Amino acid sequence: MDVVVVVGVVVGAVIVVLGVVGVHWYLWRRLVWDTTERGSTARRVGTGVIVAGTALLIGAFASESVGVPFRITQIIAWPGYMWGALFVYLVLWLLVGELVRPLLRRWMTHSRTADDIAATVAADHPAPVSRRLFVSRAVGAAASLAAVSTVGYGTHSVLTGPRVKQLTVPLANLPRAAHGYRIAVVSDIHLGPILGRGFAERVVETINDTQPDLIAVVGDLVDGSVEHLRSAVEPLARLQARHGAYFVTGNHEYFSGAEQWIEHVQELGLRLLANSRTELPYFDLAGVNDIQGESIGQGPDFTAALGDRDLARTAVLLAHQPVQIHDAVEFGVDLQLSGHTHGGQLWPGNYLAGLANPTVAGLDRYGDTQLYVSRGAGAWGPPVRVGAPSDITVIELASKQA
């Protein structure tokens, strides 16, 4: 059985590598080979850009896990991750161009205007430009412009900070006195080599401006160690809510020294819910560790958090990953608050996220339990969001007795 597993892993890895190499070859073929002449400076430069971008992307991914000095990680993270986002949309727009390419060739074959355009281009070129080369350059230029515009818009969307969403959630057992209770939900801030202190300050200001009764920080706060991000997270000490700010771990905390972060967030004034709960005036607030915590023997424990509670009281659960909803249903939770998915972050990533998560974003119901999944405030990897705007959600609890 072990041999079968090993063979499967090896085969899977080979397929992934071949796929990655194949997509890069396609990008190079369409943007460089098809649009430049053999031995030209343009071809050498184009090839160099793709190779360098890919190397920086690999370096950005690897540097965070192999002990590269944090300053170097910061230097290569921006160009590396941005190339990753640009690569995705260059490929997607080039695939759209494959549909346009034959239509453009046909139009050039039958259009006198097209012949005039090609002749004009040829007049300024030392050698005649074929229709095929003209079409390749037109499609490549259009795809590049569209990709740069898409990534530029997505970057601006992240760096300007998350927007506030308002959502009312009726809960059957919530007492009348708790009607209108407001919880600010923030997840996936991902402070690290790209998003730093300035971004944290914007997030904190946005949350405090909503004047919530309670703040729920639902994991993936950081990508890096306490040593390197101490200054970046310091603004979180200024979070303000009537009943305080609560924190549960996400999977990325366990990649960044979870035990140190668990200690440090409490020093900042956040209240840790690690497989535990607290009884608030109107409902129970519980929190479980992320599934990734199992790697160090600190996985989620729903029994510890919820096993002996009064079932007549409303229960709100903080759990980073939406897949934890199935345990929440079993333990009679009324509302689970999660993040993790980023809403897919980069379209069409929402479809991939949907394969691994029961809900990608928004409010859903599973039996008697409701699940709300935030798209998150920040971004992982490239500071880019397309089709999945960042958010801080203010959930207003509604009592059916009101």
Side-chain angles (χ1 to χ4, degrees):
M1 186 64 179
D2 291 339
V3 173
V4 173
V5 171
V6 171
V7 171
V9 170
V10 171
V11 171
V14 169
I15 291 173
V16 170
V17 170
L18 290 177
V20 170
V21 171
V23 173
H24 278 81
W25 178 86
Y26 168 76
L27 179 67
W28 174 80
R29 177 63 186 259
R30 284 308 195 198
L31 282 187
V32 180
W33 177 270
D34 288 352
T35 62
T36 61
E37 298 175 347
R38 185 187 300 274
S40 66
T41 300
R43 178 168 292 187
R44 289 193 294 270
V45 170
T47 301
V49 167
I50 292 177
V51 171
T54 304
L56 284 169
L57 177 59
I58 294 172
F61 273 113
S63 65
E64 295 183 40
S65 58
V66 298
V68 172
F70 188 68
R71 182 55 181 163
I72 295 178
T73 298
Q74 288 180 301
I75 292 172
I76 65 177
W78 266 102
Y81 284 130
M82 291 303 290
W83 169 256
L86 187 61
F87 172 79
V88 168
Y89 289 103
L90 282 171
V91 171
L92 290 176
W93 282 112
L94 283 170
L95 290 174
V96 173
E98 299 296 346
L99 303 177
V100 176
R101 192 181 298 269
L103 299 177
L104 189 54
R105 286 177 183 164
R106 187 176 303 170
W107 173 74
M108 291 193 67
T109 300
H110 300 288
S111 171
R112 178 173 298 178
T113 302
D115 288 338
D116 293 340
I117 292 173
T120 301
V121 173
D124 297 328
H125 200 273
V129 177
S130 68
R131 289 177 179 175
R132 180 180 295 274
L133 181 58
F134 178 78
V135 168
S136 293
R137 288 178 174 175
V139 171
S144 298
L145 178 61
V148 169
S149 299
T150 301
V151 172
Y153 173 82
T155 303
H156 179 266
S157 173
V158 171
L159 297 184
T160 53
R163 296 183 178 181
V164 175
K165 290 176 58 179
Q166 304 280 348
L167 179 66
T168 300
V169 179
L171 297 177
N173 297 325
L174 191 72
R176 180 191 298 268
H179 185 76
Y181 192 96
R182 301 169 75 248
I183 303 174
V185 182
V186 59
S187 73
D188 302 279
I189 302 176
H190 285 287
L191 300 176
I194 291 181
L195 300 178
R197 185 186 178 97
F199 186 78
E201 289 173 343
R202 284 192 290 277
V203 169
V204 169
E205 181 180 356
T206 301
I207 293 173
N208 287 345
D209 284 348
T210 69
Q211 298 182 321
D213 296 301
L214 183 146
I215 299 167
V217 182
V218 198
D220 279 9
L221 172 63
V222 292
D223 286 308
S225 68
V226 172
E227 176 188 358
H228 295 138
L229 297 177
R230 188 180 299 274
S231 174
V233 301
E234 189 275 334
L236 296 173
R238 298 196 290 273
L239 286 171
Q240 297 178 356
R242 181 161 61 105
H243 289 151
Y246 290 83
F247 173 80
V248 293
T249 56
N251 55 308
H252 280 246
E253 271 71 59
Y254 294 96
F255 305 145
S256 305
E259 294 180 347
Q260 290 78 20
W261 278 115
I262 285 170
E263 179 180 343
H264 190 62
V265 294
Q266 294 179 88
E267 293 172 356
L268 293 171
L270 278 70
R271 305 178 191 181
L272 177 70
L273 289 174
N275 296 328
S276 60
R277 74 174 182 278
T278 183
E279 293 186 1
L280 297 176
Y282 310 119
F283 60 89
D284 291 342
L285 181 69
V288 291
N289 294 344
D290 184 72
I291 298 169
Q292 185 64 36
E294 295 173 354
S295 64
I296 59 172
Q298 297 180 7
D301 188 337
F302 283 81
T303 300
L306 297 160
D308 59 348
R309 74 180 189 86
D310 181 357
L311 296 178
R313 286 173 57 85
T314 294
V316 176
L317 174 70
L318 310 186
H320 178 64
Q321 298 197 36
V323 294
Q324 295 172 288
I325 185 62
H326 305 299
D327 290 299
V329 172
E330 181 180 342
F331 279 85
V333 168
D334 296 275
L335 173 64
Q336 175 177 316
L337 304 175
S338 298
H340 184 62
T341 69
H342 297 206
Q345 186 166 327
L346 298 174
W347 185 94
N350 53 309
Y351 297 110
L352 296 176
L355 298 176
N357 297 277
T359 297
V360 174
L363 186 66
D364 224 334
R365 177 177 287 275
Y366 295 84
D368 294 329
T369 302
Q370 295 184 78
L371 167 66
Y372 179 74
V373 182
S374 168
R375 290 190 177 93
W380 178 75
V384 181
R385 281 179 174 266
V386 178
S390 57
D391 68 64
I392 291 168
T393 304
V394 177
I395 290 182
E396 185 173 301
L397 304 181
S399 170
K400 293 188 176 180
Q401 303 170 33

